[in-house]
Amino acid sequence: MGRRWTGWLSLLAGIAFLCGLVASGAFRCSQEREPDKVVIFRFDRPFLFGFLAWKDAPTAFKVAQEGVRIVAENGQGGAGVWGLSVALKGMEEWTPILWLKIGASNRASAVFLVLQDADRTTHRYRFRLDGLPPGELRPVLAEHGASIAEPWGVDNPGDKPGLAEVATLMVVGDWSNNPIDLTLAQVGLQKPNEEVLLQRLAWRK
């Protein structure tokens, strides 16, 4: 699946980087940090861009009280925001987490989170949706307990390997023909507990 959209994602990442220079500071946001958890972005504003099947994301995906709702005929697209400035120092082993709610019409089995820093290092994380009951806002950890240091996939190693901060954030579909109905509330990082570390260990094998 990754190969089919990585080319488009790399192109989008380049566009996001250039536009981010123009729009830098648009979404400067302070971290909401706890000892074992940090919120790096709240979906309380529209996406700034979309591509492919989700190209109309800034106007089509509406913001409501719980977050931004992604409703699309299929998962063959993506949307995001740029101009962020969220430092990741000291959180290299932490795992991305999405607070989300499944809609009644959702048939997508997964959604991807893409994080990019200022030198265009681009990491990708998969979040499973199958088996989650609809209508309930809940936190979902990245599959396999993937971390900032060990992502699900690296789409661009950047000028300096490793993700130094979050400058651009994208949400990408599972690239299936299945409809997606999903409300996103926020994205953050969570310090791994023993269960997550065991998942990560099994994944490495």
Side-chain angles (χ1 to χ4, degrees):
M1 184 276 293
R3 291 182 180 178
R4 284 185 285 172
W5 60 274
T6 298
W8 283 100
L9 182 58
S10 297
L11 175 62
L12 232 294
I15 295 172
F17 174 75
L18 293 175
C19 294
L21 294 179
V22 176
S24 61
F27 281 150
R28 299 287 177 186
C29 48
S30 58
Q31 295 178 354
E32 300 173 37
R33 184 163 186 171
E34 300 176 14
D36 61 350
K37 189 183 303 180
V38 59
V39 175
I40 60 177
F41 186 79
R42 291 189 181 276
F43 291 96
D44 56 1
R45 65 206 75 179
F47 286 111
L48 288 181
F49 63 87
F51 59 98
L52 295 181
W54 299 5
K55 65 181 186 302
D56 297 324
T59 55
F61 298 162
K62 304 298 183 182
V63 178
Q65 183 175 359
E66 289 184 311
V68 63
R69 187 180 181 191
I70 297 174
V71 181
E73 293 182 355
N74 59 59
Q76 299 177 18
V81 294
W82 52 58
L84 305 177
S85 182
V86 181
L88 299 176
K89 186 176 181 180
M91 294 183 284
E92 292 82 0
E93 297 301 321
W94 290 31
T95 297
I97 181 171
L98 281 177
W99 282 262
L100 55 83
K101 182 174 74 173
I102 304 295
S105 63
N106 182 72
R107 298 296 180 270
S109 61
V111 68
F112 289 86
L113 174 70
V114 177
L115 303 178
Q116 184 186 65
D117 67 14
D119 77 349
R120 286 178 282 183
T121 299
T122 307
H123 288 185
R124 178 167 27 120
Y125 301 88
R126 187 177 190 269
F127 294 79
R128 294 187 60 177
L129 305 179
D130 49 341
L132 297 180
E136 181 181 338
L137 187 65
R138 62 173 58 224
V140 179
L141 284 170
E143 191 174 32
H144 306 305
S147 66
I148 294 299
E150 293 181 274
W152 192 87
V154 177
D155 294 312
N156 188 344
D159 298 326
K160 298 179 181 179
L163 205 64
E165 75 281 325
V166 178
T168 299
L169 177 154
M170 289 180 272
V171 178
V172 181
D174 63 0
W175 234 246
S176 73
N177 290 317
N178 298 324
I180 186 167
D181 182 354
L182 183 69
T183 297
L184 299 175
Q186 60 190 32
V187 58
L189 297 170
Q190 182 167 301
K191 188 176 181 179
N193 56 24
E194 184 176 355
E195 180 181 357
V196 171
L197 291 174
L198 288 174
Q199 288 181 29
R200 199 179 293 172
L201 181 61
W203 180 41
R204 288 178 187 141
K205 296 178 180 178

